[in-house]
Amino acid sequence: MNSPKDFLGVSGKKYLIFGLANKKSVAYFIARNLQESGAVPIFSVQTEEQLRQVEKLFPGCSSKICDLRDPENLCRLKSSMPAKTILDGIVHSVAFANYVPGRKFLETSREDFLSSTAISCFSLVEISHVFKDMLAKDASVVTISISTTRMAAENYGYMAPIKAALESCLCFLAKSFSEFSEVRFNAVCAGLLKTSSSAGIPGYVDSYLFAEQAILRKKNLETQEVADAAVFLLSRRSSGINAQKIIVDAGMETNYFDKKIVEKVVK
């Protein structure tokens, strides 16, 4: 039986984390949660700079560079891990887009759309395939998506359709893995966050300020809240949840017609 301090039952378990860039990353908060609960985070990052960040933030933890633009790097990452390593979960907190200020969605280039899809979406399929033999029978795979892919936010552009594809992959991965395991695949779909990656989205600050008013509590979503949901999904406490999207937006989707927002527009 788990002790009260380890309610989630993650102590001693190993989790492979993709996407930690710095202290503002969703992946950082997830990893910190896990480590504070006694789990062992293992990191895969894109660049040398990110590797230095991980070594500074999580000294003593295993970390490797794996550029997801080349699928062969995943095989090398797997080969570099100790033999008989068992992973209790994987965190996929990866997204890339080549934003061009002022470019309309219909002007999106094929090259940008496909490269972003490969890194932001299909990498989850590739990671799952490469590491399937290292996953515990009841492991949990969690990806980070957005609170809605049905809102055509002009500044977010072509990333919303790609996130929709990412979410669709969950049910197919869950079905595929069900043939030989109980591995679960879920997504935390987050509202607007203050991260370094979001800073690169044109006009994001204005959207972030709008979200603060549209959220029921009139206070923006915190990255820690998204991480808390992710760690719950990584744990056996969420064993009955599979191929699902957990929306974490502090109720924003219910409040677009907030009285104060409407009054500002009509006046």
Side-chain angles (χ1 to χ4, degrees), residues 197-227:
S197 59
S198 65
I201 301 174
Y204 188 85
V205 173
D206 291 342
S207 297
Y208 185 81
L209 294 174
F210 169 80
E212 187 173 43
Q213 298 304 310
I215 288 174
L216 292 169
R217 66 190 186 190
K218 307 302 179 187
K219 176 186 174 184
N220 262 315
L221 189 66
E222 296 181 3
T223 309
Q224 182 65 60
E225 294 174 301
V226 177

Side-chain angles (χ1 to χ4, degrees), residues 122 124-125 128 164-180 183-186 242-244:
F122 193 68
L124 176 63
V125 180
S128 303
L166 172 67
E167 293 171 11
S168 180
C169 286
L170 296 173
C171 63
F172 289 92
L173 285 168
K175 179 66 174 179
S176 293
F177 272 72
S178 70
E179 296 177 1
F180 56 87
V183 176
R184 297 177 294 116
F185 292 82
N186 294 294
N242 194 9
Q244 299 297 319

Side-chain angles (χ1 to χ4, degrees), residues 1 9-10 13 32 38 50 60 63 72-73 80 87 94 98 114 116 138 153 157 168 179 199 207 217 238 267:
M1 180 178 294
V10 299
K13 296 184 180 294
R32 188 178 68 178
Q50 291 172 357
S63 55
E72 291 300 317
N73 287 333
S80 71
L87 298 174
V94 178
N98 179 32
L114 294 181
S116 182
D138 59 352
S168 180
E179 296 177 1
S207 297
R217 66 190 186 190
S238 63
K267 288 181 179 180

